[in-house]
Amino acid sequence: MIRKTLIILTIFCSMNMLNAQNPFLENYQTPHGTVPFNRIKTAHYKPAILEGISQQNKQIEAIINNPNRPTFENTIEAYERSGELLDRVSIVFDNLLSAETNDDLQKLAQEIMPMLSEHSNNLTLNEKLFARVKAVYVQKEGLNLNTEQKKLLEDIYDGFVSHGANLEGEAKEAYRKLSQTLSKLTLDYEENNLKEVNTYQLLLTSKADLKGLPETAIEAAQETAKSKGAEGWMFTLDAPSYIPFITYADNRALREKLYLAYSSKCSHNNGCNNLDLVKQIVNTKMEIAQLLGYKDYASYALRNRMAQTSEAVYKLLNQLIEAYKPTAQREYEEVQALARQEQGANFRLMPWDWSYYSNKLKDQKYNINTELLRPYFELSQVKKGVFGLAEKLYGITFKKNSDIPVYHPEVDAYEVFDKDGTFLAVLYTDFHPRAGKRSGAWMTCYKEQWVEKENGTKDINSRPHVSIVMNFTKPTENKPALLTFDEVETFLHEFGHSLHGMFANSTYRSLSGTNVYRDFVELPSQIMENFAIEKEFLNTFAKHYQTGENLPDEWIERIVNAANFNVAYACLRQVSLGLLDMAWYTRTSSFDGDVQAYEKAAWKSAQILPVVDGTSMSTQFSHIFAGGYAAGYYSYKWAEVLDADAFALFKEKGLFNAEVAGAFRREILSKGGTEHPMVLYKRFRGEEPSIRALLKRNGIN
Ligand SMILES: [Zn+2]
């Protein structure tokens, strides 16, 4: 995944020296002007943020009060380049809240986050500022702007308009009320979800009920029970507790019980019910979209996505159903056959049996033991492999620099040099879990890339400072960090995002690097995952950390084969969620029907497992009801189509083909959001993407 800060904006303003001790308010005296983490204290954030807000407000006032008529330079560019200080502080604050937080920082966030969101609202609601932006926008064809300038103008204009800036009188008031309603509804929705997950407990007191579970899951359940003052083993609806149970527990009745609890979250009469909120959120979003002149919410959301229209989204989803359904049906039957061998000929495979028997079948077919692979994936070797891959493809090199300050001793900082030796970027790596770091893996920036004019004349390319943060297996006293295969894939994924950041070469920061449309942003990351199952690549680094012997060919083959295990079922599962999302957000009239019935009808064509009454996805689908994925869930499959289609060119021309890599860098990685992604993609690939390469990769005919 990638992270972005909330604030759009940028550059240069004279540093007010009112707080000389505050490192944020000084020019950073560090290599490449990197963040002086060693000098930053919690007390520095708030004054620096307040100063940053005040500076940007002055910059905005200056734009508004400019006596000259609005031009691209004095309005659009000036707005883009405002708020440099605020950005440099909030980017550090925001990143450390995820990577190295503590109680003080969390407490401070409660105070600072509302300040930042109020400031950002004040900007988009500033009518005088919008009037100037619009004055430039309406004459955009006559302004002789280059492609990137035009895109910047359109994006900035859209940023105002999509928040109701073009509305007047009653409509504007209606928009304001609907937005407020929506944020309250989504908060309630999310809160109910959290409450439900935190309240549910399955306490087991008989050891026999734990049969089949791995030791780690049993220990964790014991700890959970203990922390709640109970004896025995407690399982919850949290993924790390739920997933092992549903995958390994031999006791079918308990699997069913936990599955039903999980799949009916927020649909009971227990004070956490989301059924009504689903209707209200769907209806409110539809009203907002229609107020802004769109037919439905999907059309509004898709205005800045690569797919562009609902038709294109449905086309993809339906193509995938048609291609994968027969295989998915076969996969289901194969899992059911195994279950029947164990349970008798009349056994009917239900949703709570799927993970359990799938996992058994996978073991039987491929016998890939995660633990056996680990010794071949020692972290420092993997790092050599991944950095080496970038060197092979792009000629870039990585040099560790211990003089660059870091926010934790486990973090390393590298200088990255281009193939001609020029400085390209700083890359921070942060690999292991610890208290204060949230779970998951992500890429982020401490400084993005842009071009500025020195003394108003010479172009200076301000190079990016990129960071990748993971939660990989830690080293122990006797063993170095030995990764799982999944962790190797995750490394490649985040590293792919980091290349998008490091190769950035735009003029404007808000169009630079990973600042691209949501359904395009995972292409650079996912394409890198393809290398993980290539023998040619694995052989460059996957060696036993003690004996030095290569990862045996036979195991590589098993990894490759297992990669497609139940791939069609998984695809249809994603497609069904995409269909549900689109069904809610392509509505053109308000909904007051039966949520669960509507849901079942919406994804029927992609359903493989028997449908169970009383279950409900919409009441717990935070991605689309509380997160940013409304009318966007299809993006996961969309990006997969892109990465398979793009990687097919490497497969065709050679895995490490420098020419293909060069084109990928030139047309995609360096371009950020300066042009529409379909234009960029076609320039790289010569044509629009098709699902053919994905089908081939997945072994679907
Ligand atoms: Zn990602």
Side-chain angles (χ1 to χ4, degrees), residues 57-68 128 132:
N57 285 338
K58 282 182 201 139
Q59 290 161 336
I60 300 298
E61 280 303 303
I63 296 173
I64 294 171
N65 297 326
N66 191 323
N68 298 319
K128 287 181 186 160
R132 283 188 75 97

Side-chain angles (χ1 to χ4, degrees), residues 14-127:
S14 63
M15 287 293 159
N16 188 331
M17 284 296 143
L18 77 145
N19 189 343
Q21 296 308 304
N22 193 326
F24 285 121
L25 304 178
E26 300 165 9
N27 283 321
Y28 296 163
Q29 301 299 321
T30 47
H32 310 291
T34 42
V35 179
F37 291 109
N38 50 337
R39 295 183 51 222
I40 295 172
K41 306 263 180 303
T42 305
H44 292 141
Y45 289 106
K46 195 177 158 189
I49 281 180
L50 287 173
E51 174 61 16
I53 290 176
S54 146
Q55 278 189 15
Q56 192 174 24
N57 285 338
K58 282 182 201 139
Q59 290 161 336
I60 300 298
E61 280 303 303
I63 296 173
I64 294 171
N65 297 326
N66 191 323
N68 298 319
R69 63 179 180 83
T71 64
F72 180 82
E73 287 73 22
N74 75 19
T75 302
I76 304 301
E77 207 166 51
Y79 178 54
E80 161 76 7
R81 301 220 191 266
S82 71
E84 189 270 347
L85 172 62
L86 178 59
D87 184 62
R88 80 141 90 177
V89 191
S90 53
I91 209 167
V92 176
F93 185 66
D94 194 41
N95 281 334
L96 292 191
L97 269 181
S98 295
E100 183 61 13
T101 190
N102 54 50
D103 289 348
D104 290 345
L105 214 58
Q106 295 294 129
K107 222 172 106 196
L108 189 58
Q110 301 288 341
E111 203 181 333
I112 282 179
M113 289 310 185
M115 272 161 44
L116 289 176
S117 88
E118 193 196 331
H119 175 65
S120 151
N121 281 339
N122 288 344
L123 292 180
T124 37
L125 296 175
N126 188 321
E127 292 184 5

Side-chain angles (χ1 to χ4, degrees), residues 1-2 441-443 493-494 497 521-523 525-526 529:
M1 75 178 274
I2 63 146
W442 61 94
M443 166 269 186
H493 180 103
E494 302 308 334
H497 282 310
V521 75
E522 298 297 334
L523 167 62
S525 51
Q526 289 181 187
E529 290 181 44

